[in-house]
Amino acid sequence: MEMGERIRSRRKELKLTQQALAKLVGVNRVTVTGWESDDYQPGGVNLQTLAAALKCNPLWLVDGRGNPDEDTLLQARIFSVKEVPIISWVQAGSWTSTDAGTSHSGSTEWIHTSASVSNDAFALRVRGHSMTNPNGVAPTIPEGSIVIVEPNINAEDINGKIVVAHIDGGIEATLKKFVEDWPHRYLMPLNPSYKTIECEDNCRIVGIVKQVIMDF
């Protein structure tokens, strides 16, 4: 069971609508929809508030460990939180499996994430509006959001996921939804005002987005 399924099952168990849960947490309904569909995950204060609203253990919400009805207060000493560097889109574009394009020791900005990621994970601050869904439905990743990216991925598990990719000849990486319609592959914006990009041999998937952190 993924985190989104745990959130949805617990919400239904408490007989809460998405709108009611959103009001309790202090977010909009679209955000709850995104959490439940695993388009992005709650982090920081939102995670703690969500666990309180669902009357459950935040550890259980994150990774299914333990009993949801036990230890409802966040325990920092056992809660898995990782600090990852926020890098530039140029650095992300130069990332490869043998050369990360950046080093943790050289990073000046960091962010904490509750997502399950490796030590190679990094974060990016979203620019522009290509991933902002104008219809107000999830997923949507507005400008200013921070995405947590896992570069150690299985190529077979990326279809339909939000990814960071690099196109040969470009300086910066890009954030898009990866769609495979064999034998073709595409990078699709969530905003239809922007163009879909073909992702063939000239396209390299840098990593998959594991969490989106937004301020409200």
mmCIF file of all heavy atoms in Angstrom, residues 70-115:
data_model
loop_
_atom_site.group_PDB
_atom_site.id
_atom_site.type_symbol
_atom_site.label_atom_id
_atom_site.label_comp_id
_atom_site.label_asym_id
_atom_site.label_seq_id
_atom_site.Cartn_x
_atom_site.Cartn_y
_atom_site.Cartn_z
ATOM 1 N N GLU A 70 -1.388 4.088 17.124
ATOM 2 C CA GLU A 70 -0.433 4.215 18.215
ATOM 3 C C GLU A 70 0.531 5.370 17.983
ATOM 4 O O GLU A 70 0.862 5.706 16.840
ATOM 5 C CB GLU A 70 0.382 2.923 18.370
ATOM 6 C CG GLU A 70 -0.443 1.727 18.815
ATOM 7 C CD GLU A 70 0.378 0.463 18.903
ATOM 8 O OE1 GLU A 70 1.548 0.497 18.466
ATOM 9 O OE2 GLU A 70 -0.151 -0.534 19.399
ATOM 10 N N ASP A 71 0.984 5.966 19.075
ATOM 11 C CA ASP A 71 2.036 6.987 19.023
ATOM 12 C C ASP A 71 1.707 8.084 18.022
ATOM 13 O O ASP A 71 2.416 8.321 17.058
ATOM 14 C CB ASP A 71 3.375 6.340 18.650
ATOM 15 C CG ASP A 71 4.554 7.288 18.868
ATOM 16 O OD1 ASP A 71 4.421 8.265 19.616
ATOM 17 O OD2 ASP A 71 5.597 7.029 18.243
ATOM 18 N N THR A 72 0.591 8.774 18.236
ATOM 19 C CA THR A 72 0.132 9.770 17.273
ATOM 20 C C THR A 72 0.978 11.032 17.247
ATOM 21 O O THR A 72 0.858 11.836 16.340
ATOM 22 C CB THR A 72 -1.330 10.165 17.563
ATOM 23 O OG1 THR A 72 -1.436 10.653 18.904
ATOM 24 C CG2 THR A 72 -2.240 8.976 17.391
ATOM 25 N N LEU A 73 1.842 11.228 18.236
ATOM 26 C CA LEU A 73 2.706 12.399 18.232
ATOM 27 C C LEU A 73 3.984 12.103 17.465
ATOM 28 O O LEU A 73 4.549 11.028 17.565
ATOM 29 C CB LEU A 73 3.056 12.818 19.669
ATOM 30 C CG LEU A 73 1.874 13.291 20.526
ATOM 31 C CD1 LEU A 73 2.358 13.608 21.933
ATOM 32 C CD2 LEU A 73 1.188 14.493 19.904
ATOM 33 N N LEU A 74 4.428 13.073 16.702
ATOM 34 C CA LEU A 74 5.633 12.904 15.893
ATOM 35 C C LEU A 74 6.859 12.738 16.782
ATOM 36 O O LEU A 74 7.129 13.553 17.651
ATOM 37 C CB LEU A 74 5.823 14.128 14.985
ATOM 38 C CG LEU A 74 6.925 14.040 13.936
ATOM 39 C CD1 LEU A 74 6.617 12.942 12.943
ATOM 40 C CD2 LEU A 74 7.067 15.373 13.228
ATOM 41 N N GLN A 75 7.591 11.661 16.597
ATOM 42 C CA GLN A 75 8.792 11.389 17.384
ATOM 43 C C GLN A 75 10.007 11.634 16.502
ATOM 44 O O GLN A 75 10.332 10.837 15.632
ATOM 45 C CB GLN A 75 8.787 9.944 17.881
ATOM 46 C CG GLN A 75 7.619 9.611 18.798
ATOM 47 C CD GLN A 75 7.724 10.337 20.127
ATOM 48 O OE1 GLN A 75 8.818 10.523 20.636
ATOM 49 N NE2 GLN A 75 6.597 10.748 20.677
ATOM 50 N N ALA A 76 10.700 12.746 16.721
ATOM 51 C CA ALA A 76 11.820 13.111 15.845
ATOM 52 C C ALA A 76 12.929 12.076 15.878
ATOM 53 O O ALA A 76 13.612 11.850 14.894
ATOM 54 C CB ALA A 76 12.363 14.471 16.266
ATOM 55 N N ARG A 77 13.100 11.402 16.993
ATOM 56 C CA ARG A 77 14.218 10.478 17.117
ATOM 57 C C ARG A 77 14.038 9.216 16.272
ATOM 58 O O ARG A 77 15.000 8.529 15.991
ATOM 59 C CB ARG A 77 14.396 10.085 18.587
ATOM 60 C CG ARG A 77 13.197 9.419 19.186
ATOM 61 C CD ARG A 77 13.357 9.171 20.679
ATOM 62 N NE ARG A 77 12.144 8.686 21.283
ATOM 63 C CZ ARG A 77 11.736 7.441 21.255
ATOM 64 N NH1 ARG A 77 12.451 6.530 20.618
ATOM 65 N NH2 ARG A 77 10.615 7.078 21.853
ATOM 66 N N ILE A 78 12.807 8.910 15.885
ATOM 67 C CA ILE A 78 12.599 7.718 15.071
ATOM 68 C C ILE A 78 12.007 8.047 13.702
ATOM 69 O O ILE A 78 11.867 7.177 12.859
ATOM 70 C CB ILE A 78 11.670 6.704 15.783
ATOM 71 C CG1 ILE A 78 10.300 7.314 16.053
ATOM 72 C CG2 ILE A 78 12.297 6.218 17.059
ATOM 73 C CD1 ILE A 78 9.286 6.333 16.621
ATOM 74 N N PHE A 79 11.658 9.310 13.502
ATOM 75 C CA PHE A 79 11.034 9.689 12.238
ATOM 76 C C PHE A 79 12.105 9.872 11.163
ATOM 77 O O PHE A 79 13.115 10.546 11.393
ATOM 78 C CB PHE A 79 10.242 10.979 12.427
ATOM 79 C CG PHE A 79 9.414 11.348 11.239
ATOM 80 C CD1 PHE A 79 8.384 10.532 10.830
ATOM 81 C CD2 PHE A 79 9.677 12.516 10.546
ATOM 82 C CE1 PHE A 79 7.609 10.878 9.740
ATOM 83 C CE2 PHE A 79 8.897 12.869 9.463
ATOM 84 C CZ PHE A 79 7.871 12.049 9.059
ATOM 85 N N SER A 80 11.902 9.274 10.031
ATOM 86 C CA SER A 80 12.895 9.306 8.968
ATOM 87 C C SER A 80 12.778 10.598 8.160
ATOM 88 O O SER A 80 11.870 10.754 7.346
ATOM 89 C CB SER A 80 12.711 8.092 8.045
ATOM 90 O OG SER A 80 13.647 8.134 6.985
ATOM 91 N N VAL A 81 13.673 11.528 8.417
ATOM 92 C CA VAL A 81 13.730 12.784 7.678
ATOM 93 C C VAL A 81 15.134 12.936 7.118
ATOM 94 O O VAL A 81 16.119 12.728 7.824
ATOM 95 C CB VAL A 81 13.380 13.985 8.582
ATOM 96 C CG1 VAL A 81 13.596 15.293 7.833
ATOM 97 C CG2 VAL A 81 11.945 13.885 9.079
ATOM 98 N N LYS A 82 15.220 13.275 5.846
ATOM 99 C CA LYS A 82 16.520 13.413 5.196
ATOM 100 C C LYS A 82 16.691 14.853 4.738
ATOM 101 O O LYS A 82 15.736 15.508 4.317
ATOM 102 C CB LYS A 82 16.619 12.441 4.020
ATOM 103 C CG LYS A 82 18.017 12.356 3.407
ATOM 104 C CD LYS A 82 18.018 11.397 2.226
ATOM 105 C CE LYS A 82 17.779 9.966 2.651
ATOM 106 N NZ LYS A 82 18.927 9.403 3.378
ATOM 107 N N GLU A 83 17.911 15.329 4.808
ATOM 108 C CA GLU A 83 18.235 16.661 4.328
ATOM 109 C C GLU A 83 18.882 16.533 2.956
ATOM 110 O O GLU A 83 19.858 15.796 2.779
ATOM 111 C CB GLU A 83 19.188 17.353 5.306
ATOM 112 C CG GLU A 83 19.364 18.835 5.040
ATOM 113 C CD GLU A 83 20.249 19.498 6.092
ATOM 114 O OE1 GLU A 83 21.307 18.923 6.422
ATOM 115 O OE2 GLU A 83 19.887 20.576 6.569
ATOM 116 N N VAL A 84 18.335 17.230 1.967
ATOM 117 C CA VAL A 84 18.870 17.139 0.611
ATOM 118 C C VAL A 84 19.208 18.536 0.110
ATOM 119 O O VAL A 84 18.588 19.532 0.516
ATOM 120 C CB VAL A 84 17.863 16.466 -0.357
ATOM 121 C CG1 VAL A 84 17.551 15.047 0.092
ATOM 122 C CG2 VAL A 84 16.576 17.275 -0.466
ATOM 123 N N PRO A 85 20.189 18.641 -0.788
ATOM 124 C CA PRO A 85 20.588 19.957 -1.300
ATOM 125 C C PRO A 85 19.620 20.472 -2.357
ATOM 126 O O PRO A 85 19.084 19.702 -3.158
ATOM 127 C CB PRO A 85 21.967 19.674 -1.912
ATOM 128 C CG PRO A 85 21.886 18.245 -2.352
ATOM 129 C CD PRO A 85 21.040 17.555 -1.314
ATOM 130 N N ILE A 86 19.377 21.768 -2.340
ATOM 131 C CA ILE A 86 18.625 22.404 -3.421
ATOM 132 C C ILE A 86 19.642 22.877 -4.449
ATOM 133 O O ILE A 86 20.517 23.693 -4.148
ATOM 134 C CB ILE A 86 17.799 23.598 -2.903
ATOM 135 C CG1 ILE A 86 16.808 23.134 -1.826
ATOM 136 C CG2 ILE A 86 17.052 24.266 -4.052
ATOM 137 C CD1 ILE A 86 15.997 24.264 -1.216
ATOM 138 N N ILE A 87 19.552 22.346 -5.659
ATOM 139 C CA ILE A 87 20.529 22.665 -6.692
ATOM 140 C C ILE A 87 19.864 23.455 -7.808
ATOM 141 O O ILE A 87 18.647 23.650 -7.826
ATOM 142 C CB ILE A 87 21.197 21.390 -7.244
ATOM 143 C CG1 ILE A 87 20.192 20.546 -8.044
ATOM 144 C CG2 ILE A 87 21.817 20.559 -6.117
ATOM 145 C CD1 ILE A 87 20.814 19.348 -8.743
ATOM 146 N N SER A 88 20.658 23.896 -8.761
ATOM 147 C CA SER A 88 20.134 24.666 -9.889
ATOM 148 C C SER A 88 19.710 23.729 -11.013
ATOM 149 O O SER A 88 20.101 22.561 -11.063
ATOM 150 C CB SER A 88 21.200 25.635 -10.401
ATOM 151 O OG SER A 88 22.222 24.924 -11.099
ATOM 152 N N TRP A 89 18.916 24.267 -11.928
ATOM 153 C CA TRP A 89 18.480 23.460 -13.077
ATOM 154 C C TRP A 89 19.635 23.166 -14.018
ATOM 155 O O TRP A 89 19.612 22.171 -14.735
ATOM 156 C CB TRP A 89 17.341 24.185 -13.806
ATOM 157 C CG TRP A 89 16.092 24.204 -12.990
ATOM 158 C CD1 TRP A 89 15.685 25.165 -12.108
ATOM 159 C CD2 TRP A 89 15.097 23.174 -12.937
ATOM 160 N NE1 TRP A 89 14.500 24.797 -11.514
ATOM 161 C CE2 TRP A 89 14.118 23.593 -12.006
ATOM 162 C CE3 TRP A 89 14.937 21.953 -13.583
ATOM 163 C CZ2 TRP A 89 12.997 22.816 -11.708
ATOM 164 C CZ3 TRP A 89 13.813 21.177 -13.300
ATOM 165 C CH2 TRP A 89 12.858 21.615 -12.369
ATOM 166 N N VAL A 90 20.659 24.013 -14.003
ATOM 167 C CA VAL A 90 21.871 23.737 -14.787
ATOM 168 C C VAL A 90 22.604 22.550 -14.193
ATOM 169 O O VAL A 90 23.035 21.640 -14.907
ATOM 170 C CB VAL A 90 22.784 24.978 -14.827
ATOM 171 C CG1 VAL A 90 24.124 24.633 -15.488
ATOM 172 C CG2 VAL A 90 22.113 26.114 -15.587
ATOM 173 N N GLN A 91 22.737 22.533 -12.870
ATOM 174 C CA GLN A 91 23.386 21.399 -12.205
ATOM 175 C C GLN A 91 22.608 20.114 -12.446
ATOM 176 O O GLN A 91 23.196 19.049 -12.671
ATOM 177 C CB GLN A 91 23.503 21.682 -10.709
ATOM 178 C CG GLN A 91 24.524 22.738 -10.345
ATOM 179 C CD GLN A 91 24.487 23.089 -8.868
ATOM 180 O OE1 GLN A 91 23.428 23.363 -8.321
ATOM 181 N NE2 GLN A 91 25.644 23.070 -8.234
ATOM 182 N N ALA A 92 21.289 20.190 -12.392
ATOM 183 C CA ALA A 92 20.468 18.995 -12.633
ATOM 184 C C ALA A 92 20.660 18.488 -14.055
ATOM 185 O O ALA A 92 20.684 17.280 -14.304
ATOM 186 C CB ALA A 92 18.992 19.312 -12.383
ATOM 187 N N GLY A 93 20.838 19.406 -14.995
ATOM 188 C CA GLY A 93 21.030 19.007 -16.388
ATOM 189 C C GLY A 93 22.339 18.285 -16.613
ATOM 190 O O GLY A 93 22.471 17.480 -17.543
ATOM 191 N N SER A 94 23.335 18.531 -15.756
ATOM 192 C CA SER A 94 24.645 17.888 -15.920
ATOM 193 C C SER A 94 24.766 16.608 -15.107
ATOM 194 O O SER A 94 25.811 15.966 -15.121
ATOM 195 C CB SER A 94 25.761 18.861 -15.508
ATOM 196 O OG SER A 94 25.688 19.151 -14.120
ATOM 197 N N TRP A 95 23.681 16.242 -14.387
ATOM 198 C CA TRP A 95 23.752 15.041 -13.543
ATOM 199 C C TRP A 95 23.775 13.775 -14.385
ATOM 200 O O TRP A 95 22.992 13.608 -15.314
ATOM 201 C CB TRP A 95 22.564 14.994 -12.592
ATOM 202 C CG TRP A 95 22.703 13.950 -11.519
ATOM 203 C CD1 TRP A 95 23.147 14.139 -10.257
ATOM 204 C CD2 TRP A 95 22.389 12.558 -11.624
ATOM 205 N NE1 TRP A 95 23.138 12.957 -9.564
ATOM 206 C CE2 TRP A 95 22.683 11.960 -10.379
ATOM 207 C CE3 TRP A 95 21.907 11.747 -12.650
ATOM 208 C CZ2 TRP A 95 22.497 10.615 -10.123
ATOM 209 C CZ3 TRP A 95 21.727 10.405 -12.416
ATOM 210 C CH2 TRP A 95 22.020 9.847 -11.167
ATOM 211 N N THR A 96 24.701 12.870 -14.065
ATOM 212 C CA THR A 96 24.724 11.534 -14.673
ATOM 213 C C THR A 96 24.993 10.534 -13.567
ATOM 214 O O THR A 96 25.317 10.894 -12.433
ATOM 215 C CB THR A 96 25.830 11.404 -15.754
ATOM 216 O OG1 THR A 96 27.110 11.476 -15.120
ATOM 217 C CG2 THR A 96 25.696 12.485 -16.809
ATOM 218 N N SER A 97 24.897 9.253 -13.898
ATOM 219 C CA SER A 97 25.115 8.209 -12.898
ATOM 220 C C SER A 97 26.549 8.173 -12.398
ATOM 221 O O SER A 97 26.835 7.660 -11.318
ATOM 222 C CB SER A 97 24.741 6.835 -13.471
ATOM 223 O OG SER A 97 25.506 6.557 -14.631
ATOM 224 N N THR A 98 27.482 8.741 -13.183
ATOM 225 C CA THR A 98 28.887 8.729 -12.779
ATOM 226 C C THR A 98 29.378 10.102 -12.321
ATOM 227 O O THR A 98 30.417 10.208 -11.692
ATOM 228 C CB THR A 98 29.783 8.257 -13.946
ATOM 229 O OG1 THR A 98 29.553 9.094 -15.091
ATOM 230 C CG2 THR A 98 29.462 6.819 -14.304
ATOM 231 N N ASP A 99 28.620 11.141 -12.645
ATOM 232 C CA ASP A 99 28.996 12.496 -12.240
ATOM 233 C C ASP A 99 27.736 13.234 -11.844
ATOM 234 O O ASP A 99 26.927 13.613 -12.686
ATOM 235 C CB ASP A 99 29.693 13.219 -13.394
ATOM 236 C CG ASP A 99 30.112 14.636 -13.009
ATOM 237 O OD1 ASP A 99 29.963 15.002 -11.833
ATOM 238 O OD2 ASP A 99 30.578 15.367 -13.902
ATOM 239 N N ALA A 100 27.566 13.431 -10.550
ATOM 240 C CA ALA A 100 26.325 14.012 -10.040
ATOM 241 C C ALA A 100 26.149 15.476 -10.418
ATOM 242 O O ALA A 100 25.059 16.023 -10.263
ATOM 243 C CB ALA A 100 26.261 13.860 -8.528
ATOM 244 N N GLY A 101 27.170 16.144 -10.907
ATOM 245 C CA GLY A 101 27.016 17.536 -11.305
ATOM 246 C C GLY A 101 27.015 18.492 -10.126
ATOM 247 O O GLY A 101 27.024 19.698 -10.286
ATOM 248 N N THR A 102 26.973 17.967 -8.940
ATOM 249 C CA THR A 102 27.036 18.779 -7.727
ATOM 250 C C THR A 102 27.478 17.882 -6.585
ATOM 251 O O THR A 102 27.384 16.659 -6.666
ATOM 252 C CB THR A 102 25.673 19.410 -7.395
ATOM 253 O OG1 THR A 102 25.808 20.275 -6.267
ATOM 254 C CG2 THR A 102 24.634 18.345 -7.062
ATOM 255 N N SER A 103 27.966 18.473 -5.533
ATOM 256 C CA SER A 103 28.354 17.692 -4.360
ATOM 257 C C SER A 103 27.674 18.264 -3.135
ATOM 258 O O SER A 103 27.438 19.469 -3.046
ATOM 259 C CB SER A 103 29.877 17.724 -4.164
ATOM 260 O OG SER A 103 30.309 19.037 -3.868
ATOM 261 N N HIS A 104 27.349 17.394 -2.193
ATOM 262 C CA HIS A 104 26.701 17.859 -0.975
ATOM 263 C C HIS A 104 27.575 18.864 -0.232
ATOM 264 O O HIS A 104 27.072 19.807 0.366
ATOM 265 C CB HIS A 104 26.370 16.664 -0.079
ATOM 266 C CG HIS A 104 25.184 15.893 -0.565
ATOM 267 N ND1 HIS A 104 24.413 15.117 0.268
ATOM 268 C CD2 HIS A 104 24.607 15.806 -1.783
ATOM 269 C CE1 HIS A 104 23.420 14.576 -0.434
ATOM 270 N NE2 HIS A 104 23.532 14.969 -1.676
ATOM 271 N N SER A 105 28.871 18.648 -0.253
ATOM 272 C CA SER A 105 29.768 19.539 0.472
ATOM 273 C C SER A 105 29.783 20.937 -0.118
ATOM 274 O O SER A 105 30.076 21.913 0.566
ATOM 275 C CB SER A 105 31.191 18.960 0.476
ATOM 276 O OG SER A 105 31.678 18.832 -0.854
ATOM 277 N N GLY A 106 29.455 21.049 -1.411
ATOM 278 C CA GLY A 106 29.476 22.356 -2.054
ATOM 279 C C GLY A 106 28.126 23.037 -2.094
ATOM 280 O O GLY A 106 27.997 24.144 -2.624
ATOM 281 N N SER A 107 27.109 22.415 -1.527
ATOM 282 C CA SER A 107 25.764 22.982 -1.553
ATOM 283 C C SER A 107 25.590 24.008 -0.440
ATOM 284 O O SER A 107 26.098 23.838 0.665
ATOM 285 C CB SER A 107 24.723 21.865 -1.392
ATOM 286 O OG SER A 107 24.835 20.931 -2.451
ATOM 287 N N THR A 108 24.876 25.075 -0.756
ATOM 288 C CA THR A 108 24.672 26.141 0.220
ATOM 289 C C THR A 108 23.235 26.208 0.723
ATOM 290 O O THR A 108 22.955 26.904 1.696
ATOM 291 C CB THR A 108 25.038 27.502 -0.397
ATOM 292 O OG1 THR A 108 24.220 27.740 -1.555
ATOM 293 C CG2 THR A 108 26.509 27.528 -0.807
ATOM 294 N N GLU A 109 22.318 25.515 0.062
ATOM 295 C CA GLU A 109 20.912 25.551 0.463
ATOM 296 C C GLU A 109 20.386 24.127 0.584
ATOM 297 O O GLU A 109 20.620 23.296 -0.288
ATOM 298 C CB GLU A 109 20.090 26.333 -0.565
ATOM 299 C CG GLU A 109 18.683 26.651 -0.107
ATOM 300 C CD GLU A 109 17.936 27.544 -1.092
ATOM 301 O OE1 GLU A 109 18.456 27.787 -2.195
ATOM 302 O OE2 GLU A 109 16.821 27.975 -0.754
ATOM 303 N N TRP A 110 19.684 23.858 1.661
ATOM 304 C CA TRP A 110 19.209 22.510 1.948
ATOM 305 C C TRP A 110 17.738 22.533 2.333
ATOM 306 O O TRP A 110 17.218 23.566 2.758
ATOM 307 C CB TRP A 110 20.018 21.897 3.097
ATOM 308 C CG TRP A 110 21.483 21.765 2.805
ATOM 309 C CD1 TRP A 110 22.417 22.759 2.794
ATOM 310 C CD2 TRP A 110 22.166 20.563 2.465
ATOM 311 N NE1 TRP A 110 23.650 22.250 2.472
ATOM 312 C CE2 TRP A 110 23.535 20.902 2.271
ATOM 313 C CE3 TRP A 110 21.772 19.234 2.318
ATOM 314 C CZ2 TRP A 110 24.496 19.965 1.925
ATOM 315 C CZ3 TRP A 110 22.735 18.290 1.982
ATOM 316 C CH2 TRP A 110 24.072 18.652 1.789
ATOM 317 N N ILE A 111 17.081 21.390 2.204
ATOM 318 C CA ILE A 111 15.695 21.274 2.634
ATOM 319 C C ILE A 111 15.474 19.867 3.192
ATOM 320 O O ILE A 111 16.106 18.901 2.746
ATOM 321 C CB ILE A 111 14.713 21.549 1.470
ATOM 322 C CG1 ILE A 111 13.282 21.674 2.004
ATOM 323 C CG2 ILE A 111 14.828 20.471 0.378
ATOM 324 C CD1 ILE A 111 12.313 22.226 0.975
ATOM 325 N N HIS A 112 14.608 19.758 4.178
ATOM 326 C CA HIS A 112 14.289 18.461 4.770
ATOM 327 C C HIS A 112 13.123 17.822 4.024
ATOM 328 O O HIS A 112 12.180 18.499 3.619
ATOM 329 C CB HIS A 112 13.935 18.614 6.248
ATOM 330 C CG HIS A 112 15.105 18.969 7.105
ATOM 331 N ND1 HIS A 112 15.468 20.280 7.380
ATOM 332 C CD2 HIS A 112 16.023 18.184 7.740
ATOM 333 C CE1 HIS A 112 16.536 20.290 8.146
ATOM 334 N NE2 HIS A 112 16.895 19.039 8.384
ATOM 335 N N THR A 113 13.200 16.518 3.856
ATOM 336 C CA THR A 113 12.125 15.782 3.195
ATOM 337 C C THR A 113 11.789 14.525 3.972
ATOM 338 O O THR A 113 12.670 13.887 4.557
ATOM 339 C CB THR A 113 12.517 15.401 1.750
ATOM 340 O OG1 THR A 113 11.473 14.592 1.180
ATOM 341 C CG2 THR A 113 13.817 14.614 1.693
ATOM 342 N N SER A 114 10.510 14.179 3.961
ATOM 343 C CA SER A 114 10.069 12.929 4.574
ATOM 344 C C SER A 114 9.953 11.818 3.549
ATOM 345 O O SER A 114 9.605 10.686 3.883
ATOM 346 C CB SER A 114 8.706 13.135 5.262
ATOM 347 O OG SER A 114 7.742 13.586 4.316
ATOM 348 N N ALA A 115 10.232 12.142 2.274
ATOM 349 C CA ALA A 115 10.146 11.133 1.215
ATOM 350 C C ALA A 115 11.249 10.089 1.392
ATOM 351 O O ALA A 115 12.333 10.383 1.907
ATOM 352 C CB ALA A 115 10.268 11.789 -0.153
#
